[in-house]
Amino acid sequence: MIYSRIVGTGSYLPPKVMTNHDFAARLETSDAWIRERTGIVQRHIADKSQTSSDLALEAARQALKAADVKADAIDLIIVATSTPDFVFPSTACLLQAKLGTKGSAAFDVQAVCSGFVYGLATADAMIKSGAYKKALVIGAEVFSRILDWNDRGTCVLFGDGAGAVVLAAGDKPGIHASVLRADGSYAGILSVPGNVCGGNITGSPFLQMDGQAVFKFAVRVLDESARETLAAAGMKVEDVDWLIPHQANVRILEATARKAGIAREKLVVTVDHHGNTSAASVPLALDEYIRAGKIRPGERVLLQGVGGGFTWGSSLVTL
Ligand code: UT7
């Protein structure tokens, strides 16, 4: 039996930091409101010159170094992003060129904030099939580009960044189980309902959200997804050492852990200093906790995504 295993992680945050006070100086909001409702204190914002593939490149290089794997040994690149560099080619192909390699499969996954978990589950299945041996799975986003900076209800929530893992074929798991779900009837509660047509933007190029509906939906499906994935892996909640849900809002994270019966000390929280980085949030959090020596080899981590679509999913992973 072939399994896949995370053998290295990496991440990148653009140097520019924007604090809640920076928002309060230009919008009718306050540090207290943002902290209380979301737990967010600061977020990183990409420079105009930086694209998702640039952020992905930095994260990928770190992950390859941590895994001690050369870029040309990678035979599969999956980039999860809702803020691609172009309509096409894919950000994954642009990243492959920036890595200076040729010939691997390379494609993007579009599942918004669940994108990394969707990408990880896809790469896991492709490795388990025997067709691929080493994959780079990356979440990379410049959400700052799709925000209405005058809409205090949304612009304070998000940040930019990238996180990456190297996944390699092995003879023990690795990834125990992944469960992916979607319900397109909820498309309207979180969207960027615009497109490029005839040289113009049709619809809106900005993120729109029904915050309370998203909040309730996220807590419900993250709990269901945790249970479904543990059942698929034949494990119990006590077998989980760390819970890394999509970093959207501290209140969503704490409610999810509470509902799932996972202790607060096992909950990974980085949204306070990253903001919501969409598809990048889970691998960014994973890399930060691994580099800090908090998540250690052999520990079991439940990774969870939820986002526009609506999409959601979880992967149970032994590191
Ligand atoms: O990847 C998934 C992405 N989405 C999310 O994670 C969003 C999930 N939802 C949430 O995190 C919360 O719903 C929010 C943080 C977005 C909002 O918190 P809330 O407790 O649901 O507040 P609310 O939307 O009910 O708004 C309460 C009040 C409103 O004023 P009124 O109508 O009561 O006078 C808003 O206009 O807060 C106001 N408000 C703000 N006030 C200060 C909304 N945004 C702000 C702001 N600063 N930034």
Side-chain angles (χ1 to χ4, degrees), residues 199-221:
N200 298 306
I201 295 162
T202 55
S204 167
F206 295 127
L207 185 144
Q208 301 176 2
M209 177 179 74
D210 176 344
Q212 290 192 3
V214 170
F215 192 110
K216 285 184 201 140
F217 192 94
V219 174
R220 176 170 65 79
V221 298

Side-chain angles (χ1 to χ4, degrees), residues 182-201:
D183 183 345
S185 70
Y186 284 89
I189 65 172
L190 179 58
S191 64
V192 180
N195 206 336
V196 183
C197 180
N200 298 306
I201 295 162

Side-chain angles (χ1 to χ4, degrees), residues 29 33 37-38 113 152-153 209 211-212 214 246 248-249 251 276:
T29 188
W33 191 96
R37 304 288 177 120
T38 71
C113 306
R152 67 178 183 174
M209 177 179 74
Q212 290 192 3
V214 170
H246 165 51
N249 177 321
R251 291 191 294 144
N276 178 346

Side-chain angles (χ1 to χ4, degrees), residues 27-176:
L27 282 176
E28 212 176 299
T29 188
S30 64
D31 176 52
W33 191 96
I34 301 170
R35 273 181 203 246
E36 233 166 71
R37 304 288 177 120
T38 71
I40 298 169
V41 177
Q42 63 168 57
R43 69 291 286 146
H44 292 250
I45 303 294
D47 185 76
K48 275 200 176 76
S49 63
Q50 292 179 300
T51 61
S52 285
S53 69
D54 294 322
L55 275 50
L57 177 65
E58 299 300 329
R61 281 186 175 144
Q62 263 198 18
L64 289 165
K65 193 169 175 212
D68 195 20
V69 166
K70 296 254 181 308
D72 54 15
I74 296 293
D75 52 9
L76 171 64
I77 299 175
I78 300 180
V79 175
T81 186
S82 300
T83 48
D85 295 21
F86 301 127
V87 172
F88 69 81
S90 71
T91 305
C93 284
L94 299 173
L95 172 66
Q96 187 205 52
K98 286 180 181 177
L99 283 167
T101 65
K102 288 180 188 194
S104 67
F107 61 92
D108 287 2
V109 162
Q110 162 55 299
V112 200
C113 306
S114 311
F116 178 76
V117 174
Y118 263 66
L120 191 71
T122 304
D124 175 50
M126 291 174 78
I127 287 175
K128 276 184 178 147
S129 77
Y132 296 88
K133 301 253 176 309
K134 284 194 173 63
L136 256 174
V137 184
I138 299 167
E141 301 279 18
V142 283
F143 253 53
S144 58
R145 310 272 158 86
I146 53 169
L147 300 175
D148 175 352
W149 286 87
N150 293 312
D151 176 13
R152 67 178 183 174
T154 54
C155 71
V156 301
L157 304 176
F158 296 91
D160 300 335
V165 302
V166 175
L167 211 57
D171 54 10
K172 54 180 178 151
I175 298 183
H176 298 275

